[in-house]
Coordinates of all heavy atoms in Angstrom, one line a residue:
M1 N -16.6 -5.7 -2.3 CA -15.5 -4.8 -2.3 C -15.0 -4.5 -0.9 O -15.8 -4.4 0.0 CB -15.9 -3.4 -2.9 CG -16.3 -3.5 -4.4 SD -14.9 -3.7 -5.5 CE -14.7 -2.0 -6.0
K2 N -13.8 -4.3 -0.8 CA -13.2 -4.0 0.5 C -12.4 -2.6 0.4 O -12.0 -2.3 -0.8 CB -12.2 -5.0 1.0 CG -13.0 -6.3 1.3 CD -12.1 -7.3 2.0 CE -12.9 -8.6 2.3 NZ -12.2 -9.5 3.1
T3 N -12.3 -1.9 1.4 CA -11.7 -0.6 1.4 C -10.5 -0.5 2.3 O -10.5 -1.0 3.4 CB -12.7 0.5 1.9 OG1 -13.9 0.4 1.1 CG2 -12.1 1.9 1.8
M4 N -9.4 0.0 1.8 CA -8.2 0.3 2.6 C -7.7 1.7 2.2 O -8.0 2.0 1.0 CB -7.1 -0.7 2.4 CG -7.2 -2.1 3.1 SD -6.0 -3.2 2.8 CE -5.0 -3.1 4.3
N5 N -7.1 2.4 3.1 CA -6.6 3.6 2.6 C -5.0 3.6 2.4 O -4.4 2.6 2.8 CB -7.0 4.8 3.6 CG -6.4 4.7 5.0 OD1 -5.3 4.1 5.2 ND2 -7.1 5.3 5.9
C6 N -4.5 4.7 1.9 CA -3.1 4.8 1.5 C -2.3 4.4 2.8 O -1.3 3.7 2.6 CB -2.9 6.2 1.0 SG -1.2 6.6 0.5
K7 N -2.6 5.0 3.9 CA -1.8 4.8 5.1 C -1.7 3.3 5.5 O -0.7 2.8 5.9 CB -2.4 5.6 6.3 CG -1.8 7.0 6.4 CD -2.4 7.7 7.7 CE -2.1 9.2 7.6 NZ -3.0 10.0 8.4
Q8 N -2.9 2.7 5.4 CA -2.9 1.3 5.8 C -2.0 0.4 4.9 O -1.6 -0.7 5.3 CB -4.4 0.7 5.7 CG -5.3 1.2 6.8 CD -6.7 0.7 6.6 OE1 -7.4 1.1 5.6 NE2 -7.2 -0.1 7.5
L9 N -1.8 0.9 3.7 CA -1.0 0.2 2.7 C 0.5 0.6 2.7 O 1.2 0.5 1.7 CB -1.6 0.3 1.3 CG -3.0 -0.5 1.3 CD1 -3.8 0.0 0.2 CD2 -2.7 -2.0 1.1
G10 N 0.9 1.3 3.8 CA 2.3 1.8 3.8 C 2.5 3.1 3.2 O 3.6 3.6 3.0
G11 N 1.4 3.9 2.8 CA 1.5 5.2 2.3 C 1.5 6.3 3.3 O 1.8 6.1 4.5
A12 N 0.9 7.4 2.9 CA 1.0 8.6 3.8 C -0.2 9.5 3.8 O -0.2 10.5 4.4 CB 2.2 9.4 3.4
C13 N -1.3 9.1 3.2 CA -2.5 9.9 3.2 C -3.8 9.0 3.4 O -3.7 7.8 3.6 CB -2.7 10.7 1.9 SG -3.1 9.8 0.4
D14 N -4.9 9.7 3.4 CA -6.1 8.9 3.7 C -6.9 8.5 2.5 O -8.1 8.1 2.6 CB -7.0 9.9 4.6 CG -6.4 10.0 6.0 OD1 -5.8 9.1 6.5 OD2 -6.5 11.2 6.5
K15 N -6.3 8.7 1.3 CA -7.0 8.2 0.1 C -7.4 6.8 0.2 O -6.6 5.9 0.6 CB -6.1 8.5 -1.1 CG -6.9 8.2 -2.4 CD -6.0 8.4 -3.6 CE -6.6 7.8 -4.9 NZ -7.9 8.4 -5.2
E16 N -8.7 6.6 -0.2 CA -9.2 5.2 0.0 C -9.2 4.4 -1.4 O -9.5 5.1 -2.5 CB -10.6 5.2 0.5 CG -10.7 5.7 1.9 CD -12.1 5.6 2.5 OE1 -13.1 5.7 1.7 OE2 -12.2 5.5 3.7
F17 N -8.9 3.2 -1.3 CA -8.9 2.3 -2.5 C -10.0 1.2 -2.3 O -10.1 0.7 -1.1 CB -7.6 1.6 -2.7 CG -6.5 2.7 -2.7 CD1 -5.5 2.6 -1.7 CD2 -6.2 3.5 -3.7 CE1 -4.4 3.5 -1.6 CE2 -5.2 4.5 -3.8 CZ -4.3 4.4 -2.7
H18 N -10.7 0.8 -3.3 CA -11.7 -0.2 -3.2 C -11.3 -1.3 -4.2 O -11.1 -1.1 -5.3 CB -13.1 0.4 -3.6 CG -13.4 1.6 -2.8 ND1 -13.9 1.6 -1.5 CD2 -13.3 2.9 -3.1 CE1 -14.0 2.8 -1.1 NE2 -13.7 3.7 -2.0
A19 N -11.3 -2.5 -3.7 CA -11.0 -3.7 -4.5 C -11.5 -4.9 -4.0 O -11.9 -5.1 -2.8 CB -9.4 -3.8 -4.6
N20 N -11.6 -5.9 -4.9 CA -12.2 -7.2 -4.5 C -11.1 -8.2 -4.0 O -11.4 -9.1 -3.2 CB -12.9 -7.9 -5.7 CG -14.2 -7.2 -5.9 OD1 -15.0 -7.0 -5.0 ND2 -14.5 -6.8 -7.2
T21 N -9.9 -8.0 -4.5 CA -8.8 -8.8 -4.1 C -7.6 -8.0 -3.5 O -7.5 -6.8 -3.9 CB -8.3 -9.7 -5.2 OG1 -7.7 -8.8 -6.2 CG2 -9.4 -10.5 -5.9
F22 N -6.7 -8.6 -2.8 CA -5.6 -7.9 -2.3 C -4.7 -7.5 -3.4 O -4.1 -6.4 -3.4 CB -4.9 -8.7 -1.2 CG -3.7 -7.9 -0.6 CD1 -4.0 -6.8 0.2 CD2 -2.4 -8.3 -0.9 CE1 -2.9 -6.1 0.7 CE2 -1.4 -7.5 -0.4 CZ -1.6 -6.4 0.4
E23 N -4.5 -8.3 -4.4 CA -3.7 -8.1 -5.5 C -4.1 -6.7 -6.2 O -3.3 -5.9 -6.6 CB -3.7 -9.2 -6.5 CG -2.8 -10.4 -6.1 CD -3.4 -11.2 -4.9 OE1 -4.6 -11.0 -4.6 OE2 -2.7 -11.8 -4.2
E24 N -5.5 -6.7 -6.4 CA -6.0 -5.5 -7.0 C -5.7 -4.2 -6.2 O -5.4 -3.2 -6.7 CB -7.6 -5.7 -7.1 CG -8.3 -5.3 -8.3 CD -9.8 -5.7 -8.3 OE1 -10.0 -6.9 -8.2 OE2 -10.6 -4.8 -8.2
M25 N -5.9 -4.4 -4.8 CA -5.6 -3.4 -3.9 C -4.2 -2.9 -4.0 O -3.9 -1.7 -4.1 CB -5.9 -3.9 -2.5 CG -5.9 -2.9 -1.4 SD -7.3 -1.7 -1.5 CE -8.6 -2.4 -0.7
A26 N -3.3 -3.8 -4.1 CA -1.9 -3.4 -4.1 C -1.6 -2.7 -5.5 O -0.8 -1.7 -5.5 CB -1.0 -4.8 -4.1
E27 N -2.3 -3.1 -6.5 CA -2.1 -2.4 -7.8 C -2.6 -0.9 -7.7 O -1.9 0.0 -8.2 CB -2.8 -3.1 -8.9 CG -2.2 -4.3 -9.5 CD -0.8 -4.1 -10.0 OE1 -0.6 -3.1 -10.8 OE2 0.2 -4.8 -9.6
L28 N -3.8 -0.7 -7.1 CA -4.3 0.6 -6.9 C -3.4 1.5 -6.1 O -3.1 2.6 -6.4 CB -5.7 0.6 -6.2 CG -6.8 -0.1 -7.1 CD1 -8.0 -0.2 -6.2 CD2 -7.1 0.8 -8.2
S29 N -2.8 0.9 -5.0 CA -1.9 1.6 -4.1 C -0.7 2.0 -4.9 O -0.1 3.1 -4.7 CB -1.6 0.7 -2.9 OG -0.5 1.1 -2.3
K30 N -0.2 1.0 -5.7 CA 1.1 1.3 -6.5 C 0.8 2.4 -7.5 O 1.7 3.3 -7.6 CB 1.4 0.0 -7.2 CG 2.9 -0.1 -7.5 CD 3.3 -1.2 -8.4 CE 3.1 -2.6 -7.7 NZ 3.4 -3.7 -8.7
A31 N -0.3 2.4 -8.2 CA -0.6 3.4 -9.1 C -0.7 4.8 -8.4 O -0.2 5.8 -9.0 CB -2.0 3.1 -9.8
H32 N -1.3 4.8 -7.3 CA -1.4 6.1 -6.6 C 0.0 6.6 -6.2 O 0.3 7.7 -6.2 CB -2.3 5.9 -5.3 CG -2.2 6.9 -4.3 ND1 -2.8 8.2 -4.5 CD2 -1.7 6.9 -3.0 CE1 -2.5 8.9 -3.4 NE2 -1.9 8.2 -2.5
G33 N 0.8 5.6 -5.7 CA 2.1 5.9 -5.4 C 3.0 6.6 -6.5 O 3.6 7.6 -6.3
M34 N 2.8 6.0 -7.6 CA 3.5 6.5 -8.8 C 3.0 8.0 -9.1 O 3.8 8.9 -9.5 CB 3.1 5.7 -10.1 CG 3.6 4.3 -10.0 SD 5.3 4.1 -10.3 CE 5.5 2.4 -10.4
E35 N 1.7 8.2 -9.0 CA 1.2 9.5 -9.3 C 1.7 10.5 -8.3 O 2.1 11.6 -8.7 CB -0.3 9.3 -9.2 CG -1.2 10.4 -9.8 CD -2.7 10.2 -9.5 OE1 -3.2 9.1 -9.8 OE2 -3.3 11.1 -8.9
I36 N 1.6 10.2 -7.0 CA 2.1 11.1 -6.0 C 3.6 11.3 -6.1 O 4.1 12.4 -5.8 CB 1.7 10.5 -4.6 CG1 0.2 10.4 -4.5 CG2 2.3 11.4 -3.5 CD1 -0.6 11.7 -4.3
F37 N 4.3 10.3 -6.5 CA 5.8 10.3 -6.6 C 6.1 11.4 -7.5 O 7.1 12.2 -7.4 CB 6.3 9.0 -7.1 CG 7.8 8.9 -7.2 CD1 8.5 8.8 -6.0 CD2 8.5 9.0 -8.3 CE1 9.9 8.8 -6.0 CE2 9.8 8.9 -8.4 CZ 10.6 8.8 -7.3
Q38 N 5.4 11.5 -8.7 CA 5.7 12.6 -9.6 C 5.5 14.0 -9.1 O 6.1 15.0 -9.5 CB 4.8 12.4 -10.9 CG 5.3 11.2 -11.7 CD 4.3 10.8 -12.8 OE1 3.2 11.3 -12.9 NE2 4.8 9.9 -13.6
Q39 N 4.6 14.1 -8.1 CA 4.4 15.4 -7.4 C 5.4 15.7 -6.3 O 5.4 16.7 -5.6 CB 3.0 15.4 -6.8 CG 1.9 15.3 -7.9 CD 0.5 15.0 -7.3 OE1 0.3 15.2 -6.1 NE2 -0.4 14.6 -8.1
Q40 N 6.3 14.7 -6.1 CA 7.4 14.8 -5.1 C 6.8 15.1 -3.7 O 7.4 15.9 -3.0 CB 8.4 15.9 -5.5 CG 9.1 15.5 -6.8 CD 10.2 14.4 -6.6 OE1 11.1 14.5 -5.9 NE2 10.0 13.2 -7.3
D41 N 5.7 14.5 -3.4 CA 5.1 14.8 -2.0 C 6.0 14.1 -1.0 O 6.4 13.0 -1.0 CB 3.7 14.1 -1.9 CG 3.1 14.3 -0.6 OD1 2.7 15.4 -0.3 OD2 3.2 13.3 0.2
K42 N 6.5 15.0 0.0 CA 7.5 14.6 1.0 C 7.0 13.4 1.8 O 7.8 12.5 2.0 CB 7.8 15.7 1.9 CG 8.9 15.6 2.8 CD 9.3 16.9 3.6 CE 9.9 16.6 4.9 NZ 9.0 16.0 5.9
D43 N 5.8 13.4 2.3 CA 5.3 12.3 3.2 C 5.3 11.0 2.4 O 5.7 9.9 2.9 CB 3.9 12.6 3.7 CG 4.0 13.7 4.7 OD1 5.0 14.1 5.2 OD2 2.9 14.4 4.9
H44 N 4.9 11.1 1.2 CA 4.8 9.8 0.3 C 6.2 9.3 0.0 O 6.5 8.1 -0.1 CB 4.0 10.0 -0.9 CG 2.5 10.0 -0.7 ND1 1.8 11.1 -0.2 CD2 1.6 9.0 -0.7 CE1 0.6 10.8 0.0 NE2 0.4 9.5 -0.4
L45 N 7.1 10.3 -0.2 CA 8.5 9.9 -0.6 C 9.1 9.2 0.6 O 9.8 8.1 0.4 CB 9.3 11.1 -0.9 CG 9.0 11.8 -2.3 CD1 9.9 13.0 -2.5 CD2 9.2 10.8 -3.4
E46 N 8.9 9.6 1.8 CA 9.4 9.0 2.9 C 8.8 7.6 3.1 O 9.5 6.6 3.4 CB 9.1 9.8 4.2 CG 10.2 10.9 4.5 CD 9.8 11.8 5.6 OE1 9.0 11.5 6.4 OE2 10.4 12.9 5.7
A47 N 7.5 7.5 2.9 CA 6.8 6.2 3.1 C 7.4 5.2 2.1 O 7.6 4.1 2.3 CB 5.3 6.4 2.9
M48 N 7.7 5.7 0.8 CA 8.2 4.9 -0.3 C 9.6 4.5 0.0 O 9.9 3.3 -0.3 CB 8.1 5.7 -1.6 CG 7.7 4.8 -2.8 SD 7.4 5.8 -4.2 CE 5.7 6.3 -4.0
N49 N 10.3 5.3 0.6 CA 11.7 4.9 1.0 C 11.7 3.8 2.0 O 12.5 2.9 1.9 CB 12.5 6.1 1.7 CG 13.0 7.1 0.7 OD1 13.3 6.7 -0.5 ND2 13.3 8.3 1.1
K50 N 10.8 3.8 2.9 CA 10.7 2.7 3.9 C 10.4 1.3 3.2 O 10.9 0.3 3.5 CB 9.5 3.0 4.9 CG 10.1 3.9 6.0 CD 9.0 4.0 7.1 CE 9.2 5.3 7.9 NZ 8.0 5.8 8.5
I51 N 9.5 1.4 2.2 CA 9.1 0.2 1.4 C 10.3 -0.2 0.6 O 10.6 -1.4 0.6 CB 7.9 0.5 0.5 CG1 6.7 1.0 1.3 CG2 7.6 -0.7 -0.3 CD1 5.9 -0.1 2.0
Q52 N 11.1 0.7 0.1 CA 12.2 0.3 -0.7 C 13.3 -0.3 0.2 O 14.0 -1.2 -0.3 CB 12.8 1.5 -1.4 CG 12.3 1.5 -2.9 CD 12.3 2.9 -3.5 OE1 12.8 3.8 -3.0 NE2 11.7 3.0 -4.7
E53 N 13.4 0.2 1.4 CA 14.3 -0.5 2.4 C 13.9 -2.0 2.6 O 14.7 -2.8 2.6 CB 14.3 0.3 3.7 CG 15.2 1.5 3.7 CD 16.6 1.2 3.5 OE1 17.2 0.4 4.2 OE2 17.2 1.9 2.6
L54 N 12.6 -2.1 2.8 CA 12.0 -3.4 3.0 C 12.3 -4.4 1.8 O 12.6 -5.5 2.0 CB 10.5 -3.3 3.1 CG 9.9 -3.3 4.5 CD1 8.4 -3.3 4.3 CD2 10.3 -4.4 5.4
M55 N 12.3 -3.8 0.6 CA 12.5 -4.6 -0.6 C 13.9 -5.2 -0.7 O 14.1 -6.1 -1.4 CB 12.1 -3.8 -1.9 CG 10.7 -3.6 -2.1 SD 10.4 -2.6 -3.6 CE 8.6 -2.6 -3.6
K56 N 14.8 -4.6 -0.1 CA 16.2 -5.1 0.0 C 16.2 -6.4 0.7 O 17.2 -7.1 0.6 CB 17.1 -4.1 0.6 CG 17.3 -2.8 -0.2 CD 18.3 -1.9 0.5 CE 18.2 -0.5 -0.1 NZ 18.9 0.5 0.8
E57 N 15.3 -6.6 1.6 CA 15.2 -7.8 2.4 C 14.0 -8.6 1.9 O 12.9 -8.4 2.4 CB 15.0 -7.6 3.8 CG 16.2 -6.8 4.5 CD 17.2 -7.8 4.9 OE1 17.0 -9.0 5.0 OE2 18.3 -7.3 5.3
P58 N 14.1 -9.5 0.9 CA 12.9 -10.2 0.3 C 12.1 -10.9 1.4 O 10.8 -10.9 1.3 CB 13.5 -11.3 -0.6 CG 14.9 -10.7 -0.9 CD 15.3 -9.9 0.2
K59 N 12.7 -11.4 2.5 CA 12.0 -12.0 3.5 C 11.1 -11.0 4.3 O 9.9 -11.3 4.6 CB 12.9 -12.8 4.5 CG 12.2 -13.8 5.3 CD 13.3 -14.7 6.0 CE 12.7 -15.4 7.2 NZ 12.6 -14.6 8.4
A60 N 11.7 -9.9 4.6 CA 10.9 -8.9 5.3 C 9.8 -8.3 4.5 O 8.7 -8.1 4.9 CB 11.9 -7.7 5.7
M61 N 10.1 -8.2 3.2 CA 9.1 -7.7 2.3 C 7.9 -8.6 2.2 O 6.7 -8.3 2.2 CB 9.7 -7.5 0.8 CG 8.8 -6.8 -0.1 SD 8.3 -5.2 0.3 CE 6.8 -5.0 -0.5
A62 N 8.3 -9.9 2.1 CA 7.2 -11.0 2.0 C 6.4 -11.0 3.2 O 5.1 -11.1 3.2 CB 7.9 -12.4 1.8
E63 N 7.0 -10.8 4.4 CA 6.3 -10.8 5.6 C 5.4 -9.6 5.7 O 4.2 -9.7 6.2 CB 7.2 -10.8 6.8 CG 7.7 -12.1 7.2 CD 8.9 -12.1 8.2 OE1 9.1 -11.1 8.8 OE2 9.5 -13.1 8.3
W64 N 5.9 -8.4 5.3 CA 5.1 -7.2 5.3 C 3.9 -7.4 4.4 O 2.7 -7.1 4.7 CB 6.0 -6.0 4.8 CG 5.3 -4.7 4.7 CD1 5.2 -3.8 5.8 CD2 4.6 -4.1 3.7 NE1 4.4 -2.7 5.4 CE2 4.1 -2.9 4.1 CE3 4.2 -4.6 2.4 CZ2 3.3 -2.0 3.3 CZ3 3.5 -3.7 1.6 CH2 3.0 -2.5 2.0
F65 N 4.1 -8.0 3.2 CA 3.1 -8.2 2.2 C 2.0 -9.1 2.7 O 0.8 -8.9 2.6 CB 3.6 -8.7 0.9 CG 2.8 -8.6 -0.3 CD1 2.7 -7.4 -1.0 CD2 2.0 -9.8 -0.7 CE1 1.9 -7.3 -2.1 CE2 1.2 -9.6 -1.8 CZ 1.1 -8.4 -2.5
E66 N 2.5 -10.2 3.4 CA 1.5 -11.2 4.0 C 0.7 -10.5 5.1 O -0.5 -10.8 5.2 CB 2.3 -12.4 4.6 CG 2.6 -13.5 3.6 CD 1.3 -14.0 2.9 OE1 0.4 -14.4 3.6 OE2 1.2 -13.9 1.6
G67 N 1.3 -9.7 5.9 CA 0.6 -9.0 7.0 C -0.5 -8.1 6.5 O -1.6 -8.1 7.0
K68 N -0.1 -7.4 5.4 CA -1.1 -6.5 4.8 C -2.3 -7.3 4.1 O -3.5 -6.9 4.2 CB -0.5 -5.6 3.7 CG 0.5 -4.6 4.2 CD -0.2 -3.6 5.1 CE 0.8 -2.8 5.9 NZ 0.1 -2.0 6.9
K69 N -1.9 -8.4 3.5 CA -2.9 -9.2 2.9 C -3.9 -9.8 4.0 O -5.1 -9.8 3.8 CB -2.2 -10.5 2.2 CG -3.2 -11.2 1.3 CD -2.4 -12.2 0.4 CE -3.4 -13.0 -0.4 NZ -2.7 -13.9 -1.3
K70 N -3.3 -10.2 5.2 CA -4.2 -10.7 6.3 C -5.1 -9.6 6.7 O -6.3 -9.8 7.0 CB -3.4 -11.2 7.4 CG -2.7 -12.5 7.1 CD -2.4 -13.3 8.4 CE -1.8 -14.6 8.1 NZ -0.3 -14.5 7.9
E71 N -4.5 -8.4 6.8 CA -5.4 -7.2 7.2 C -6.5 -7.0 6.3 O -7.6 -6.7 6.6 CB -4.4 -6.0 7.1 CG -4.6 -5.0 8.3 CD -3.6 -3.8 8.2 OE1 -2.4 -4.1 8.5 OE2 -4.0 -2.7 7.8
F72 N -6.2 -7.2 5.0 CA -7.3 -7.0 3.9 C -8.3 -8.0 4.1 O -9.5 -7.7 4.0 CB -6.6 -7.1 2.6 CG -7.6 -7.1 1.4 CD1 -8.1 -5.9 0.9 CD2 -8.0 -8.3 0.8 CE1 -9.0 -5.9 -0.2 CE2 -8.9 -8.3 -0.3 CZ -9.4 -7.1 -0.7
E73 N -7.9 -9.3 4.3 CA -8.8 -10.4 4.4 C -9.7 -10.3 5.6 O -10.8 -10.8 5.6 CB -8.0 -11.7 4.3 CG -7.7 -12.1 2.9 CD -6.6 -13.1 2.8 OE1 -6.2 -13.7 3.9 OE2 -6.2 -13.4 1.7
A74 N -9.2 -9.7 6.7 CA -10.0 -9.5 7.9 C -11.0 -8.4 7.8 O -11.9 -8.3 8.6 CB -9.0 -9.2 9.1
L75 N -10.9 -7.6 6.8 CA -11.9 -6.4 6.6 C -13.2 -6.9 6.2 O -13.4 -7.9 5.5 CB -11.3 -5.5 5.6 CG -10.1 -4.6 5.8 CD1 -9.7 -3.9 4.6 CD2 -10.5 -3.6 6.9
P76 N -14.2 -6.2 6.7 CA -15.6 -6.6 6.3 C -15.8 -6.1 4.9 O -15.2 -5.2 4.4 CB -16.5 -5.8 7.2 CG -15.7 -4.7 7.6 CD -14.3 -5.1 7.7
E77 N -16.7 -6.7 4.1 CA -17.1 -6.3 2.7 C -17.9 -5.1 2.9 O -18.7 -4.9 3.8 CB -18.0 -7.4 2.1 CG -17.3 -8.7 1.9 CD -16.5 -8.8 0.6 OE1 -16.7 -7.9 -0.3 OE2 -15.6 -9.6 0.5
D78 N -17.7 -4.1 1.9 CA -18.4 -2.9 2.0 C -19.9 -3.1 1.6 O -20.2 -3.9 0.7 CB -17.8 -1.9 0.9 CG -16.5 -1.4 1.4 OD1 -16.2 -1.4 2.7 OD2 -15.8 -0.8 0.7
Ligands
ZN1 ZN1 -1.4 8.5 -0.5

């Protein structure tokens, strides 16, 4: 298992996620984002806006995603 926190994944808090693959990690982060979104947390809303801006540029989004994936792969196993 590897550990990344919300901030490392483009979010806004220190909540940690544990996953075996980056895809799993992305799902956990997304689920957390949805949950926090319902609470209208200002920091997370801002973070999410940034990601949404990125999504308008598929190339930039792909690069961002690849970068995070590399970061994940470079992490030591827990
Ligand atoms: Zn968070």
Side-chain angles (χ1 to χ4, degrees):
M1 296 282 265
K2 294 187 179 190
T3 305
M4 278 179 103
N5 67 27
C6 181
K7 272 182 192 157
Q8 284 176 300
L9 291 158
C13 71
D14 293 323
K15 184 179 168 62
E16 291 183 337
F17 309 110
H18 309 278
N20 287 312
T21 65
F22 182 69
E23 283 69 23
E24 222 176 293
M25 187 65 88
E27 284 303 312
L28 290 173
S29 158
K30 207 190 285 175
H32 166 68
M34 297 281 188
E35 196 185 305
I36 298 285
F37 184 74
Q38 285 168 355
Q39 297 167 14
Q40 297 286 300
D41 177 75
K42 191 175 151 287
D43 292 340
H44 283 82
L45 287 178
E46 275 173 21
M48 220 174 271
N49 278 338
K50 275 185 206 154
I51 301 282
Q52 262 156 9
E53 281 298 309
L54 266 181
M55 282 179 180
K56 291 180 191 162
E57 296 274 348
K59 197 167 164 276
M61 187 64 208
E63 275 167 19
W64 182 88
F65 198 81
E66 272 307 303
K68 292 295 167 192
K69 195 172 174 177
K70 284 205 181 85
E71 218 175 289
F72 175 83
E73 279 160 6
L75 288 172
E77 296 276 342
D78 288 342

